[in-house]
Amino acid sequence: MSLKIRKRVAPLPGCPMSKCMALLGGLWTPEIIWCLSNGPRRFSELLRDNPNLTGKVLTGRLRDLQARGVLDRKVMPTSPPSVEYELTALGLELLPAITSIVEVGTRLLLRETPSEG
């Protein structure tokens, strides 16, 4: 018995999920966006928030996210100059998706925790 071939569904022009995941798919990208969800952060604060992240990788991620319009880089007029990173409107649009991922991850972690009883 052979399987009946189903009709193909016409794909959308461009894939919306792929477009969004292209922004979120980079190494450490969701973590960086999550750290910026409560407001602007300096480079050293982002490093402290993500202890397994190296300065070199963070620099690359921040430059990439800035180029893609996800965050803004503001040089503060201090001596020595300091830099703050802040989410743009596009970056803020990504937060509900990341928040949902965090909520599911939290539930998964709770399942792994041995119950005391």
Side-chain angles (χ1 to χ4, degrees), residues 14 24 30 42 52-53 58 85 108-109:
L24 292 176
R42 293 188 306 274
N52 295 323
L53 180 59
L58 178 58
Y85 296 91
L108 291 172
L109 285 171

Side-chain angles (χ1 to χ4, degrees), residues 24-68:
L24 292 176
L27 186 63
W28 294 103
T29 298
E31 289 88 344
I32 294 168
I33 294 171
W34 181 252
C35 289
L36 293 170
S37 65
N38 288 325
R41 306 287 284 167
R42 293 188 306 274
F43 185 88
S44 60
E45 293 172 319
L46 291 169
L47 271 180
R48 189 177 53 234
D49 292 343
N50 298 284
N52 295 323
L53 180 59
T54 66
K56 180 180 178 181
V57 172
L58 178 58
T59 298
R61 291 286 98 214
L62 292 171
R63 286 180 181 161
D64 180 57
L65 289 170
Q66 183 183 4
R68 293 171 180 254

Side-chain angles (χ1 to χ4, degrees), residues 99-113:
T99 300
S100 294
I101 292 169
V102 169
E103 290 170 357
V104 171
T106 301
R107 287 193 296 274
L108 291 172
L109 285 171
L110 290 174
R111 283 187 196 167
E112 293 175 2
T113 305

